[in-house]
Amino acid sequence: MSYSVMKTNEDNEVIYQRTDADGLVRRTCLAHDPEFQSWLSANQSSLPDDIQAKVDDGILTIADAD
Amino acid sequence: MSKAAELAALIGSQTALSNRNLIINGAMQVAQRGTSATGIGGTGDTYKVLDRFRYGLNGGDATAGRFTASQAAITDLPGFGFAHKLDCTTADTSIAAGEAFTIQQRIEGQNLQQLAKGTSSAKAVTVSFYAKGTAKKYMLEIQDAENSRIIQQQFDVTTSWQRFSITFPGDTSGTVANDNAVGLYLNMWLHGGSTYSSGTYNASTWKAQSNADRAAGIDSFFSSTDNELFITGVQMEVGEQATPFEHRSFGDELAKCQRYYFRINYNGDNNYFAAGGVYTTTAAMAMLPLPVEMRAAPTAIDQSGTAAHYGSWGNGATQVCSAVPAIRGSSSKTTCAIDLTFSSLNSATGTYNYRIVNASGYIGVSAEL
């Protein structure tokens, strides 16, 4: 599974989506969702380009791992 | 000790007679996400089956091990109808340094103030649980992530049910914030690479968190596909004595779980889950009332992954979605705001009702820790 940027909505909130191994998007989340943050922490050396761009722009912050 | 004497001892020790158990869903009654999940492993922490029990796999390296988790009906442990069953389906005998696997429950800090942690009055805590499975040595750990402190005790599972009772002394260092964030983690370490196992095991001693100690001396759940583990009756309570497991009603336990996660499943035709409005002919917003005030405003929603499982009724017409429902940040602790997308609605204004239109559809709202 992997995460990507789904959209930026009318309230200027960035929504992220999790795509599972079968290609289906079963989860959408906000930046501070714990499961998303855990995935970011585990994969921060090889993030997808759209996610990395949000990190580089300061829009998405990766919290410290547990 | 007679029952009367036990009761007197409890009262005398000022142990609470109800709401003793700091663990939610300890009897494994609630499984809103489903009663079984296969192929769990790799990296990434996640909740899959039993509410409030999280699988910690984010150690830095991905395990090749995989397991099936289920809410298993049991008949061989009087007083309990369910256990949390883990069944190793892919072994991992080439363990990279950063591999980790824990079963974890995260406890809000505001529920832990009675421990007086970080003060001279810090109280002991006792964790008890029933377990059986393939004979293995695992580690129970309380982790104070706010202050990077841990305390641990190994335990030996056998093929017969045992009740384990492990008392940890109070910790006079490191206060737990009185809020709705994680205060303590209760971890059961089942697998760890050298990053987590190359250190020293110190039984029941609070210390600064040293990752190398956290799985020191334990066996690996992923050593063989023959391995399985059953756990139930998990209780964590103030004091130096394990009291009998505090059974709560299903309704009480479900409500406690719904503070963190709430799922609506398809329940037949016209399965409306929310009302709301439309603001263009393709975009709508549903406001889903939550049955319990959640821990915080939701941060994620789960759904089946198929847009056509969701739809609307409004202005005399029904339509199915063209994209999967998505969370909005304008949610609150009592209402979840959900974006719904359509190819073309028959109006750009008005009130619509939103529904799950397929038996595989569901909406899960998460405010998990």
Side-chain angles (χ1 to χ4, degrees):
Chain A
M1 59 94 163
S2 185
Y3 281 85
S4 59
V5 176
M6 181 187 208
K7 64 180 179 180
T8 300
N9 67 22
E10 299 74 21
D11 294 334
N12 208 33
E13 300 159 345
V14 181
I15 308 298
Y16 301 89
Q17 62 184 11
R18 188 192 72 202
T19 303
D20 291 339
D22 58 5
L24 295 180
V25 173
R26 290 195 177 85
R27 184 177 180 87
T28 59
C29 65
L30 304 173
H32 58 287
D33 178 61
E35 185 173 316
F36 178 44
Q37 282 290 332
S38 175
W39 179 85
L40 288 170
S41 176
N43 294 278
Q44 56 185 311
S45 62
S46 57
L47 293 173
D49 291 345
D50 58 344
I51 298 276
Q52 185 64 56
K54 296 297 182 189
V55 174
D56 294 343
D57 292 344
I59 294 169
L60 176 60
T61 302
I62 302 176
D64 293 336
D66 300 335
Chain B
M1 185 183 289
S2 70
K3 293 297 180 190
E6 285 182 14
L7 181 61
L10 285 173
I11 294 171
S13 68
Q14 298 184 335
T15 299
L17 298 180
S18 62
N19 285 310
R20 300 187 309 279
N21 195 356
L22 294 165
I23 298 299
I24 297 171
N25 201 24
M28 313 298 172
Q29 297 168 276
V30 182
Q32 293 186 84
R33 294 171 179 84
T35 56
S36 180
T38 61
I40 307 168
T43 59
D45 299 337
T46 187
Y47 295 88
K48 285 288 190 183
V49 179
L50 286 148
D51 281 58
R52 305 299 302 124
F53 287 93
R54 184 179 198 259
Y55 304 122
L57 293 153
N58 181 17
D61 286 314
T63 175
R66 295 289 184 275
F67 66 98
T68 293
S70 60
Q71 180 194 42
I74 56 172
T75 57
D76 58 348
L77 183 62
F80 292 91
F82 292 112
H84 189 171
K85 179 183 179 184
L86 306 181
D87 181 10
C88 178
T89 54
T90 302
D92 177 5
T93 54
S94 179
I95 305 171
E99 291 185 21
F101 174 33
T102 62
I103 304 174
Q104 179 185 78
Q105 185 153 140
R106 299 178 156 199
I107 306 172
E108 288 180 60
Q110 60 191 354
N111 292 340
L112 295 163
Q113 298 306 301
Q114 60 189 303
L115 302 183
K117 189 175 179 301
T119 75
S120 59
S121 303
K123 293 184 171 66
V125 65
T126 296
V127 180
S128 53
F129 57 94
Y130 296 85
K132 73 168 186 176
T134 309
K136 293 283 180 188
K137 185 186 297 292
Y138 298 124
M139 185 82 82
L140 183 73
E141 175 188 75
I142 296 176
Q143 177 191 12
D144 172 0
E146 285 182 61
N147 300 288
S148 296
R149 292 176 62 76
I150 56 172
I151 190 166
Q152 305 174 288
Q153 177 79 48
Q154 294 174 343
F155 61 96
D156 292 292
V157 172
T158 68
T159 53
S160 299
W161 282 112
Q162 296 177 77
R163 190 183 195 207
F164 295 91
S165 173
I166 297 171
T167 296
F168 296 116
D171 186 14
T172 56
S173 297
T175 57
V176 172
N178 186 14
D179 59 22
N180 64 348
V182 182
L184 295 176
Y185 304 72
L186 181 67
N187 299 319
M188 285 187 183
W189 280 87
L190 306 182
H191 171 87
S194 61
T195 301
Y196 300 98
S197 61
S198 60
T200 304
Y201 168 57
N202 302 115
S204 293
T205 304
W206 279 103
K207 61 183 180 181
Q209 181 175 319
S210 167
N211 280 338
D213 298 349
R214 300 181 70 187
I218 70 165
D219 298 319
S220 170
F221 175 76
F222 289 129
S223 65
S224 166
T225 55
D226 293 336
N227 294 344
E228 60 181 14
L229 175 64
F230 293 78
I231 300 169
T232 194
V234 183
Q235 181 155 284
M236 179 173 166
E237 59 193 310
V238 174
E240 297 179 349
Q241 179 181 344
T243 64
F245 181 78
E246 181 187 15
H247 289 278
R248 293 190 283 246
S249 72
F250 178 83
D252 287 350
E253 208 72 77
L254 176 62
K256 288 178 182 293
C257 292
Q258 288 175 335
R259 176 172 170 79
Y260 306 89
Y261 187 83
F262 165 59
R263 179 176 286 204
I264 295 178
N265 292 305
Y266 177 82
N267 190 28
D269 291 342
N270 299 318
N271 188 190
Y272 294 100
F273 66 87
V278 297
Y279 46 95
T280 72
T281 55
T282 60
M285 184 168 69
M287 302 302 291
L288 170 61
L290 302 169
V292 170
E293 180 173 298
M294 299 194 90
R295 180 191 64 84
T299 58
I301 64 167
D302 299 333
Q303 34 69 36
S304 63
T306 300
H309 290 174
Y310 307 90
S312 70
W313 183 88
N315 285 333
T318 62
Q319 283 198 274
V320 296
C321 290
S322 59
V324 295
I327 185 135
R328 288 186 72 94
S330 47
S331 300
S332 72
K333 292 180 181 179
T334 55
T335 307
C336 184
I338 300 172
D339 268 342
L340 295 158
T341 304
F342 298 88
S343 298
S344 180
L345 292 165
N346 58 4
S347 173
T349 61
T351 300
Y352 281 68
N353 294 305
Y354 302 105
R355 57 182 183 158
I356 301 168
V357 299
N358 184 283
S360 297
Y362 61 87
I363 297 282
V365 180
S366 177
E368 290 283 8
L369 288 161

